[in-house]
Amino acid sequence: MSLFIEIQDSSRPFPDHLVVQVGDILRFAACGALLEGGSCIEILGILSDAVVGSDGQVLRPLGSPNVVLVRARSAGRTTVDIVTGDPWGSTATTTLTIVVEP
């Protein structure tokens, strides 16, 4: 069974590499991402969190995106840059190597 892996503090240093399985979804608290090389993962989207209110209306925040979703699509190794902060101001980039196992 695939996992939904949440990385809540994307601004702190990552380990040397993160090992996941094909089909796993990673959720980073970040405003952007750049795939440096390899095709074993795909960036599903750069999104904003939203919630459903008691009246059924979707409540969305103002401001920059705060979620990056990544899917492990095939076995391999790749590097991804995770961008945190304000995309129109001060940002920080953290590089993470992801190893995808079958």
Coordinates of all heavy atoms in Angstrom, one line a residue:
M1 N 0.8 -1.2 0.0 CA 0.0 0.0 0.0 C 0.9 1.2 0.0 O 1.9 1.3 0.7 CB -0.9 0.0 1.2 CG -1.7 1.3 1.3 SD -2.9 1.3 2.7 CE -4.0 0.1 2.2
S2 N 0.6 2.2 -0.8 CA 1.3 3.4 -0.9 C 1.1 4.3 0.3 O 0.1 4.2 1.0 CB 0.9 4.2 -2.2 OG 1.2 3.5 -3.3
L3 N 2.1 5.2 0.6 CA 2.0 6.0 1.8 C 1.8 7.5 1.3 O 2.3 7.9 0.3 CB 3.3 5.9 2.6 CG 3.6 4.6 3.2 CD1 5.0 4.6 3.8 CD2 2.6 4.1 4.1
F4 N 1.2 8.3 2.2 CA 1.1 9.7 2.1 C 2.1 10.2 3.2 O 1.8 10.1 4.3 CB -0.3 10.2 2.3 CG -0.4 11.7 2.2 CD1 -0.5 12.3 1.0 CD2 -0.5 12.5 3.4 CE1 -0.6 13.7 0.9 CE2 -0.7 13.9 3.3 CZ -0.7 14.5 2.0
I5 N 3.2 10.8 2.7 CA 4.3 11.2 3.6 C 4.3 12.7 3.7 O 4.5 13.4 2.7 CB 5.6 10.7 3.2 CG1 5.6 9.1 3.0 CG2 6.8 11.1 4.1 CD1 6.7 8.5 2.2
E6 N 4.1 13.2 4.9 CA 4.0 14.7 5.1 C 5.3 15.2 5.7 O 5.7 14.7 6.8 CB 2.9 15.0 6.0 CG 2.7 16.5 6.1 CD 1.4 16.9 6.8 OE1 0.6 16.0 7.2 OE2 1.1 18.1 6.9
I7 N 6.0 16.1 5.1 CA 7.2 16.8 5.6 C 6.7 18.2 6.0 O 6.5 19.0 5.2 CB 8.3 16.8 4.5 CG1 8.8 15.4 4.2 CG2 9.5 17.6 5.1 CD1 8.1 14.8 3.0
Q8 N 6.5 18.3 7.3 CA 5.9 19.6 7.8 C 6.8 20.7 7.8 O 6.4 21.9 7.6 CB 5.3 19.3 9.2 CG 4.2 18.3 9.1 CD 3.6 18.1 10.5 OE1 4.1 18.4 11.5 NE2 2.4 17.4 10.5
D9 N 8.1 20.5 8.1 CA 9.0 21.7 8.2 C 10.1 21.5 7.2 O 11.2 21.0 7.4 CB 9.7 21.7 9.6 CG 10.5 22.9 9.8 OD1 10.6 23.8 8.9 OD2 11.1 23.1 10.9
S10 N 9.8 22.0 6.0 CA 10.7 21.9 4.8 C 11.9 22.8 4.9 O 12.7 22.8 4.1 CB 9.9 22.1 3.5 OG 8.8 21.2 3.4
S11 N 11.9 23.7 5.9 CA 13.0 24.7 6.0 C 14.2 24.2 6.8 O 15.2 24.7 6.7 CB 12.5 26.0 6.6 OG 12.1 25.7 8.0
R12 N 14.0 23.1 7.5 CA 15.1 22.5 8.3 C 15.9 21.6 7.4 O 15.3 21.0 6.4 CB 14.6 21.9 9.5 CG 13.8 20.7 9.3 CD 13.5 20.0 10.6 NE 13.3 18.6 10.3 CZ 12.7 17.7 11.1 NH1 12.2 18.1 12.2 NH2 12.5 16.5 10.7
P13 N 17.1 21.3 7.7 CA 17.9 20.4 6.9 C 17.3 19.0 6.8 O 16.8 18.4 7.8 CB 19.3 20.3 7.6 CG 19.3 21.5 8.5 CD 17.9 21.8 8.8
F14 N 17.4 18.4 5.6 CA 16.9 17.1 5.3 C 18.1 16.1 5.6 O 19.2 16.5 5.6 CB 16.5 16.9 3.9 CG 15.2 17.7 3.6 CD1 15.2 18.7 2.7 CD2 14.0 17.3 4.1 CE1 14.1 19.4 2.4 CE2 12.8 18.0 3.8 CZ 12.9 19.1 2.9
P15 N 17.8 14.8 5.7 CA 18.8 13.8 5.8 C 19.5 13.7 4.4 O 19.0 14.4 3.4 CB 18.1 12.5 6.1 CG 16.7 12.8 5.7 CD 16.4 14.2 5.9
D16 N 20.6 13.0 4.3 CA 21.3 12.9 3.0 C 20.4 12.4 1.9 O 20.5 12.9 0.8 CB 22.5 11.9 3.1 CG 23.6 12.4 4.0 OD1 23.7 13.6 4.1 OD2 24.4 11.6 4.5
H17 N 19.5 11.5 2.2 CA 18.5 11.1 1.2 C 17.3 10.5 1.9 O 17.3 10.2 3.0 CB 19.1 10.0 0.2 CG 19.6 8.8 0.9 ND1 20.8 8.6 1.6 CD2 18.9 7.6 1.1 CE1 20.9 7.4 2.1 NE2 19.8 6.8 1.8
L18 N 16.2 10.5 1.1 CA 14.9 10.0 1.6 C 14.6 8.8 0.8 O 14.6 8.9 -0.5 CB 13.9 11.1 1.5 CG 12.5 10.8 1.9 CD1 12.4 10.4 3.4 CD2 11.5 11.9 1.6
V19 N 14.3 7.7 1.4 CA 13.9 6.5 0.7 C 12.4 6.3 0.8 O 11.9 6.2 1.9 CB 14.7 5.2 1.3 CG1 14.3 4.0 0.5 CG2 16.2 5.4 1.2
V20 N 11.8 6.1 -0.4 CA 10.4 5.9 -0.5 C 10.1 4.8 -1.5 O 11.0 4.2 -2.1 CB 9.6 7.2 -1.0 CG1 9.8 8.3 0.0 CG2 10.1 7.6 -2.4
Q21 N 8.9 4.4 -1.6 CA 8.5 3.3 -2.5 C 7.7 3.9 -3.7 O 7.1 4.9 -3.6 CB 7.6 2.3 -1.8 CG 8.2 1.7 -0.5 CD 9.3 0.8 -0.8 OE1 9.2 -0.1 -1.7 NE2 10.4 0.9 -0.1
V22 N 7.7 3.2 -4.8 CA 6.9 3.6 -6.0 C 5.4 3.7 -5.5 O 4.9 2.8 -4.8 CB 7.0 2.5 -7.1 CG1 6.0 2.8 -8.2 CG2 8.4 2.5 -7.7
G23 N 4.8 4.8 -5.9 CA 3.4 5.1 -5.5 C 3.2 6.0 -4.4 O 2.1 6.5 -4.1
D24 N 4.3 6.2 -3.5 CA 4.2 7.1 -2.4 C 4.0 8.5 -2.8 O 4.5 8.9 -3.9 CB 5.4 7.0 -1.5 CG 5.5 5.7 -0.7 OD1 4.5 4.9 -0.7 OD2 6.6 5.4 -0.1
I25 N 3.2 9.3 -2.0 CA 3.0 10.7 -2.3 C 3.7 11.4 -1.1 O 3.5 11.1 0.0 CB 1.5 11.0 -2.3 CG1 0.8 10.2 -3.4 CG2 1.3 12.5 -2.5 CD1 1.0 10.6 -4.8
L26 N 4.5 12.5 -1.5 CA 5.1 13.3 -0.5 C 4.5 14.7 -0.5 O 4.2 15.3 -1.6 CB 6.6 13.4 -0.8 CG 7.4 12.2 -0.6 CD1 7.4 11.4 -1.9 CD2 8.8 12.5 -0.2
R27 N 4.2 15.2 0.7 CA 3.6 16.5 0.8 C 4.6 17.4 1.6 O 4.9 17.2 2.7 CB 2.3 16.5 1.6 CG 1.7 17.9 1.8 CD 0.5 17.8 2.8 NE -0.3 19.0 2.8 CZ 0.1 20.1 3.5 NH1 1.2 20.2 4.2 NH2 -0.7 21.1 3.5
F28 N 5.1 18.4 0.9 CA 6.1 19.3 1.5 C 5.4 20.7 1.8 O 4.6 21.1 1.0 CB 7.2 19.7 0.5 CG 8.1 18.5 0.2 CD1 7.9 17.7 -0.8 CD2 9.2 18.2 1.0 CE1 8.7 16.6 -1.1 CE2 10.0 17.2 0.8 CZ 9.8 16.4 -0.3
A29 N 5.6 21.2 3.0 CA 5.2 22.6 3.4 C 6.2 23.5 2.7 O 7.2 23.8 3.2 CB 5.2 22.7 4.9
A30 N 5.8 23.9 1.5 CA 6.8 24.7 0.7 C 6.0 25.5 -0.4 O 4.8 25.3 -0.6 CB 7.8 23.8 0.0
C31 N 6.6 26.5 -1.0 CA 6.0 27.3 -2.0 C 6.5 27.0 -3.4 O 6.0 27.6 -4.4 CB 6.2 28.8 -1.7 SG 7.9 29.3 -1.7
G32 N 7.4 26.0 -3.6 CA 7.9 25.7 -4.9 C 8.8 24.5 -4.9 O 9.3 24.1 -3.8
A33 N 9.1 24.0 -6.0 CA 10.0 22.8 -6.2 C 10.6 22.8 -7.6 O 9.9 23.3 -8.5 CB 9.3 21.5 -5.9
L34 N 11.8 22.3 -7.7 CA 12.5 22.2 -9.0 C 13.1 20.8 -9.0 O 14.0 20.5 -8.2 CB 13.5 23.3 -9.2 CG 14.3 23.3 -10.4 CD1 13.5 23.5 -11.6 CD2 15.4 24.3 -10.4
L35 N 12.7 20.1 -10.0 CA 13.3 18.7 -10.2 C 14.6 18.9 -10.9 O 14.7 19.4 -12.0 CB 12.3 17.9 -11.0 CG 12.6 16.4 -11.2 CD1 12.8 15.7 -9.9 CD2 11.6 15.8 -12.0
E36 N 15.7 18.5 -10.3 CA 17.0 18.7 -10.8 C 17.4 17.7 -11.8 O 18.2 18.0 -12.7 CB 18.1 18.7 -9.7 CG 18.0 20.0 -8.8 CD 18.4 21.2 -9.5 OE1 19.4 21.2 -10.4 OE2 17.8 22.2 -9.3
G37 N 17.0 16.5 -11.7 CA 17.4 15.4 -12.6 C 16.7 14.1 -12.3 O 16.3 13.9 -11.2
G38 N 16.6 13.3 -13.3 CA 15.9 12.0 -13.1 C 14.5 12.1 -13.3 O 13.9 13.2 -13.3
S39 N 13.8 11.0 -13.5 CA 12.4 11.0 -13.8 C 11.6 10.0 -12.9 O 10.5 9.6 -13.3 CB 12.2 10.6 -15.3 OG 12.7 9.3 -15.6
C40 N 12.2 9.6 -11.8 CA 11.6 8.6 -10.9 C 10.5 9.3 -10.1 O 9.7 8.6 -9.5 CB 12.6 7.9 -10.1 SG 13.5 8.9 -9.0
I41 N 10.5 10.6 -10.0 CA 9.4 11.3 -9.3 C 8.8 12.3 -10.2 O 9.4 12.7 -11.2 CB 9.9 12.0 -8.0 CG1 10.9 13.2 -8.3 CG2 10.5 11.0 -7.0 CD1 11.1 14.1 -7.1
E42 N 7.6 12.8 -9.9 CA 7.0 13.9 -10.6 C 6.4 14.8 -9.6 O 5.9 14.4 -8.6 CB 5.9 13.4 -11.6 CG 4.7 12.8 -11.0 CD 3.6 12.4 -12.0 OE1 3.4 13.2 -12.9 OE2 3.1 11.3 -11.9
I43 N 6.5 16.1 -10.0 CA 5.8 17.1 -9.1 C 4.4 17.2 -9.6 O 4.1 17.6 -10.7 CB 6.6 18.5 -9.3 CG1 8.0 18.3 -8.8 CG2 5.8 19.6 -8.5 CD1 8.9 19.5 -9.0
L44 N 3.5 16.8 -8.7 CA 2.1 16.8 -9.0 C 1.5 18.2 -9.0 O 0.5 18.5 -9.8 CB 1.3 15.9 -8.0 CG 1.6 14.5 -8.1 CD1 0.8 13.7 -7.0 CD2 1.2 13.9 -9.4
G45 N 2.0 19.1 -8.2 CA 1.5 20.4 -8.2 C 2.0 21.3 -7.0 O 2.5 20.8 -6.0
I46 N 1.9 22.6 -7.2 CA 2.3 23.6 -6.2 C 0.9 24.2 -5.9 O 0.3 24.9 -6.8 CB 3.3 24.6 -6.7 CG1 4.6 23.8 -7.1 CG2 3.6 25.6 -5.7 CD1 5.6 24.6 -7.9
L47 N 0.5 24.0 -4.7 CA -0.9 24.3 -4.3 C -1.0 25.2 -3.1 O 0.0 25.5 -2.4 CB -1.6 23.0 -4.0 CG -1.4 21.9 -5.0 CD1 -1.9 20.5 -4.5 CD2 -2.2 22.2 -6.3
S48 N -2.2 25.6 -2.8 CA -2.5 26.3 -1.5 C -3.5 25.4 -0.7 O -4.5 24.8 -1.3 CB -3.2 27.6 -1.8 OG -2.3 28.5 -2.3
D49 N -3.3 25.3 0.6 CA -4.2 24.6 1.5 C -5.6 25.3 1.5 O -5.6 26.5 1.4 CB -3.7 24.6 2.9 CG -2.8 23.5 3.3 OD1 -3.0 22.4 2.7 OD2 -2.0 23.6 4.2
A50 N -6.6 24.5 1.6 CA -8.0 25.1 1.7 C -8.8 24.1 2.6 O -8.4 23.0 2.8 CB -8.6 25.2 0.4
V51 N -9.8 24.6 3.2 CA -10.7 23.8 4.0 C -12.2 24.0 3.6 O -12.5 25.0 3.0 CB -10.5 24.2 5.5 CG1 -9.1 23.8 6.0 CG2 -10.8 25.6 5.8
V52 N -13.0 23.1 4.1 CA -14.4 23.2 3.8 C -15.1 23.8 5.1 O -14.9 23.2 6.2 CB -15.1 21.9 3.4 CG1 -16.6 22.0 3.2 CG2 -14.4 21.4 2.2
G53 N -15.8 24.9 4.9 CA -16.5 25.5 6.1 C -17.7 24.7 6.4 O -18.2 23.8 5.7
S54 N -18.4 25.1 7.5 CA -19.6 24.4 8.0 C -20.7 24.6 7.0 O -21.7 23.7 7.0 CB -20.0 24.9 9.4 OG -20.2 26.3 9.3
D55 N -20.7 25.6 6.2 CA -21.8 25.7 5.2 C -21.4 25.1 3.8 O -22.2 25.2 2.9 CB -22.0 27.2 5.0 CG -20.8 28.0 4.4 OD1 -19.7 27.4 4.3 OD2 -21.0 29.2 4.1
G56 N -20.3 24.4 3.8 CA -19.9 23.7 2.6 C -19.1 24.5 1.6 O -18.6 24.0 0.6
Q57 N -18.8 25.7 1.9 CA -18.0 26.6 1.1 C -16.6 26.3 1.3 O -16.1 26.1 2.4 CB -18.3 28.1 1.4 CG -17.6 29.0 0.5 CD -17.9 30.5 0.9 OE1 -18.7 30.8 1.8 NE2 -17.3 31.4 0.1
V58 N -15.8 26.3 0.2 CA -14.3 26.1 0.3 C -13.7 27.4 0.7 O -13.9 28.5 0.0 CB -13.8 25.6 -1.0 CG1 -12.2 25.5 -0.9 CG2 -14.4 24.2 -1.4
L59 N -13.0 27.4 1.8 CA -12.3 28.6 2.3 C -10.8 28.5 1.9 O -10.1 27.5 2.3 CB -12.4 28.7 3.8 CG -13.9 28.7 4.3 CD1 -13.9 28.6 5.9 CD2 -14.6 29.9 3.9
R60 N -10.4 29.5 1.2 CA -9.0 29.5 0.7 C -8.2 30.7 1.2 O -8.8 31.8 1.3 CB -8.9 29.4 -0.8 CG -9.6 30.5 -1.5 CD -9.8 30.3 -3.0 NE -11.1 29.6 -3.2 CZ -11.3 28.6 -4.1 NH1 -10.3 28.2 -4.8 NH2 -12.5 28.1 -4.2
P61 N -7.0 30.5 1.6 CA -6.2 31.7 2.1 C -5.8 32.6 1.0 O -5.7 32.2 -0.2 CB -5.0 31.0 2.8 CG -4.8 29.8 2.0 CD -6.2 29.3 1.6
L62 N -5.5 33.8 1.3 CA -4.8 34.7 0.4 C -3.3 34.5 0.6 O -2.8 34.1 1.6 CB -5.1 36.2 0.8 CG -6.6 36.5 0.6 CD1 -6.8 38.0 1.1 CD2 -7.1 36.4 -0.8
G63 N -2.6 34.8 -0.5 CA -1.1 34.7 -0.4 C -0.5 33.6 -1.3 O -1.2 33.1 -2.2
S64 N 0.7 33.3 -1.0 CA 1.5 32.4 -1.8 C 1.1 30.9 -1.6 O 0.5 30.6 -0.6 CB 2.9 32.6 -1.6 OG 3.3 32.3 -0.3
P65 N 1.4 30.1 -2.5 CA 1.2 28.6 -2.4 C 2.0 28.1 -1.1 O 3.0 28.7 -0.8 CB 1.8 28.0 -3.6 CG 1.9 29.1 -4.6 CD 2.1 30.4 -3.8
N66 N 1.5 27.1 -0.5 CA 2.1 26.5 0.7 C 2.2 25.0 0.7 O 2.6 24.4 1.7 CB 1.4 27.1 1.9 CG 0.0 26.6 2.0 OD1 -0.5 26.0 1.1 ND2 -0.7 27.0 3.1
V67 N 1.9 24.4 -0.4 CA 2.0 22.9 -0.5 C 2.6 22.5 -1.8 O 2.2 23.0 -2.8 CB 0.6 22.3 -0.3 CG1 0.6 20.8 -0.6 CG2 -0.1 22.6 1.0
V68 N 3.5 21.5 -1.7 CA 4.1 20.9 -2.9 C 3.8 19.4 -2.8 O 4.2 18.8 -1.8 CB 5.6 21.2 -3.1 CG1 6.2 20.4 -4.2 CG2 5.9 22.7 -3.3
L69 N 3.2 18.8 -3.8 CA 2.9 17.4 -3.8 C 3.9 16.7 -4.9 O 4.0 17.2 -6.0 CB 1.5 17.1 -4.2 CG 0.4 17.4 -3.2 CD1 -1.0 17.0 -3.7 CD2 0.7 16.7 -1.8
V70 N 4.5 15.6 -4.4 CA 5.4 14.9 -5.3 C 5.0 13.4 -5.2 O 4.7 12.9 -4.2 CB 6.9 15.1 -4.8 CG1 7.8 14.2 -5.5 CG2 7.3 16.5 -4.8
R71 N 5.0 12.8 -6.4 CA 4.7 11.3 -6.5 C 5.9 10.5 -6.9 O 6.6 10.9 -7.9 CB 3.6 11.1 -7.5 CG 3.2 9.6 -7.6 CD 2.0 9.4 -8.5 NE 2.2 9.6 -9.9 CZ 2.5 8.6 -10.7 NH1 2.5 7.4 -10.3 NH2 2.7 8.9 -12.0
A72 N 6.2 9.4 -6.2 CA 7.2 8.5 -6.6 C 6.7 7.6 -7.7 O 5.8 6.8 -7.5 CB 7.7 7.7 -5.4
R73 N 7.1 7.8 -9.0 CA 6.5 7.1 -10.1 C 7.2 5.8 -10.6 O 6.6 4.9 -11.2 CB 6.2 8.0 -11.2 CG 7.5 8.8 -11.7 CD 7.2 9.8 -12.7 NE 7.4 9.2 -14.0 CZ 7.0 9.8 -15.1 NH1 6.4 11.0 -15.1 NH2 7.3 9.2 -16.3
S74 N 8.5 5.8 -10.4 CA 9.3 4.6 -10.8 C 10.6 4.5 -10.0 O 11.0 5.5 -9.4 CB 9.6 4.7 -12.3 OG 10.4 5.8 -12.6
A75 N 11.2 3.3 -9.9 CA 12.4 3.1 -9.2 C 13.5 4.0 -9.8 O 13.6 4.2 -11.0 CB 12.8 1.6 -9.2
G76 N 14.4 4.5 -8.9 CA 15.5 5.3 -9.3 C 15.9 6.3 -8.2 O 15.5 6.2 -7.1
R77 N 16.7 7.3 -8.6 CA 17.3 8.2 -7.7 C 17.2 9.6 -8.4 O 17.5 9.7 -9.6 CB 18.7 7.8 -7.4 CG 19.4 8.8 -6.5 CD 20.9 8.3 -6.3 NE 21.5 8.8 -5.1 CZ 21.5 8.1 -4.0 NH1 20.9 6.9 -3.9 NH2 22.0 8.6 -2.9
T78 N 16.8 10.6 -7.7 CA 16.8 12.0 -8.2 C 17.0 13.0 -7.1 O 16.9 12.7 -6.0 CB 15.4 12.2 -8.9 OG1 15.5 13.4 -9.7 CG2 14.3 12.3 -7.9
T79 N 17.2 14.2 -7.6 CA 17.4 15.4 -6.7 C 16.3 16.4 -6.9 O 16.0 16.7 -8.1 CB 18.8 16.0 -6.9 OG1 19.8 15.0 -6.7 CG2 19.0 17.1 -5.9
V80 N 15.8 16.9 -5.9 CA 14.7 18.0 -6.0 C 15.1 19.1 -5.1 O 15.6 18.9 -3.9 CB 13.3 17.4 -5.7 CG1 13.2 16.9 -4.3 CG2 12.2 18.4 -6.0
D81 N 14.9 20.3 -5.5 CA 15.1 21.5 -4.7 C 13.7 21.9 -4.2 O 12.8 22.1 -4.9 CB 15.7 22.7 -5.5 CG 17.1 22.5 -5.9 OD1 17.8 21.7 -5.2 OD2 17.6 23.1 -6.9
I82 N 13.6 22.1 -2.8 CA 12.3 22.5 -2.2 C 12.5 23.9 -1.8 O 13.5 24.3 -1.1 CB 12.0 21.6 -1.0 CG1 12.0 20.1 -1.4 CG2 10.8 22.0 -0.3 CD1 10.9 19.8 -2.4
V83 N 11.6 24.8 -2.2 CA 11.7 26.2 -2.0 C 10.7 26.6 -0.9 O 9.5 26.3 -1.0 CB 11.4 27.0 -3.3 CG1 11.5 28.5 -3.0 CG2 12.3 26.6 -4.4
T84 N 11.1 27.3 0.2 CA 10.3 27.7 1.2 C 10.4 29.2 1.3 O 11.3 29.8 0.8 CB 10.7 27.1 2.6 OG1 12.0 27.4 2.9 CG2 10.4 25.6 2.6
G85 N 9.5 29.8 2.1 CA 9.5 31.3 2.2 C 8.4 32.0 1.3 O 7.5 31.3 0.9
D86 N 8.6 33.2 1.1 CA 7.7 34.0 0.2 C 8.3 34.1 -1.2 O 9.3 34.6 -1.4 CB 7.6 35.4 0.8 CG 6.7 36.4 0.0 OD1 6.1 35.9 -1.0 OD2 6.6 37.5 0.4
P87 N 7.6 33.5 -2.1 CA 8.1 33.5 -3.5 C 8.3 34.8 -4.1 O 9.0 35.0 -5.1 CB 7.1 32.6 -4.3 CG 5.8 32.6 -3.5 CD 6.3 32.8 -2.0
W88 N 7.7 35.9 -3.6 CA 7.8 37.2 -4.1 C 8.8 38.0 -3.2 O 8.9 39.2 -3.4 CB 6.5 37.9 -4.2 CG 5.6 37.2 -5.1 CD1 5.6 37.4 -6.5 CD2 4.5 36.3 -4.8 NE1 4.6 36.5 -7.1 CE2 4.0 35.9 -6.1 CE3 4.0 35.7 -3.7 CZ2 2.9 35.0 -6.2 CZ3 3.0 34.8 -3.8 CH2 2.5 34.4 -5.0
G89 N 9.4 37.4 -2.3 CA 10.3 38.0 -1.4 C 11.5 37.1 -1.1 O 12.2 36.7 -1.9
S90 N 11.7 36.8 0.2 CA 12.8 36.1 0.7 C 12.5 34.6 0.6 O 11.5 34.1 1.3 CB 13.2 36.5 2.1 OG 14.2 35.7 2.6
T91 N 13.3 33.8 -0.1 CA 13.1 32.3 -0.2 C 14.4 31.6 0.3 O 15.4 32.2 0.3 CB 12.7 31.9 -1.6 OG1 13.8 32.2 -2.4 CG2 11.5 32.5 -2.1
A92 N 14.2 30.4 0.6 CA 15.3 29.5 0.9 C 15.1 28.2 0.2 O 14.0 27.7 0.0 CB 15.4 29.2 2.4
T93 N 16.2 27.6 -0.3 CA 16.1 26.4 -1.1 C 16.9 25.3 -0.4 O 18.0 25.5 0.0 CB 16.7 26.6 -2.5 OG1 15.9 27.6 -3.2 CG2 16.6 25.3 -3.3
T94 N 16.2 24.2 -0.2 CA 16.8 23.0 0.4 C 16.8 21.9 -0.6 O 15.8 21.6 -1.3 CB 16.0 22.6 1.6 OG1 15.9 23.7 2.5 CG2 16.7 21.4 2.3
T95 N 18.0 21.2 -0.8 CA 18.1 20.2 -1.8 C 18.0 18.8 -1.1 O 18.5 18.6 0.0 CB 19.5 20.2 -2.5 OG1 19.6 21.5 -3.1 CG2 19.7 19.1 -3.5
L96 N 17.2 18.0 -1.7 CA 16.9 16.6 -1.2 C 17.1 15.6 -2.3 O 16.6 15.7 -3.4 CB 15.4 16.6 -0.6 CG 14.9 15.2 -0.2 CD1 15.7 14.8 1.1 CD2 13.4 15.3 0.2
T97 N 17.8 14.5 -1.9 CA 17.9 13.4 -2.8 C 16.8 12.4 -2.4 O 16.7 12.0 -1.2 CB 19.3 12.8 -2.7 OG1 20.3 13.7 -3.1 CG2 19.4 11.5 -3.6
I98 N 16.1 11.9 -3.4 CA 15.0 11.0 -3.2 C 15.4 9.7 -3.9 O 15.7 9.7 -5.1 CB 13.7 11.5 -3.6 CG1 13.3 12.8 -2.9 CG2 12.6 10.4 -3.4 CD1 12.0 13.4 -3.3
V99 N 15.4 8.6 -3.1 CA 15.6 7.3 -3.7 C 14.3 6.5 -3.7 O 13.7 6.4 -2.6 CB 16.7 6.5 -2.8 CG1 16.8 5.1 -3.4 CG2 18.0 7.2 -2.8
V100 N 13.8 6.1 -4.9 CA 12.6 5.4 -5.0 C 12.9 3.9 -5.2 O 13.6 3.6 -6.2 CB 11.7 6.0 -6.2 CG1 10.4 5.2 -6.3 CG2 11.5 7.5 -6.0
E101 N 12.4 3.1 -4.3 CA 12.5 1.7 -4.4 C 11.3 1.0 -5.0 O 10.2 1.6 -4.8 CB 12.8 1.1 -3.0 CG 14.2 1.5 -2.5 CD 14.5 0.9 -1.1 OE1 13.6 0.4 -0.4 OE2 15.7 0.9 -0.8
P102 N 11.4 -0.1 -5.7 CA 10.2 -0.7 -6.3 C 9.3 -1.2 -5.3 O 9.5 -1.4 -4.2 CB 10.8 -1.8 -7.2 CG 12.3 -1.9 -6.9 CD 12.6 -0.8 -6.0

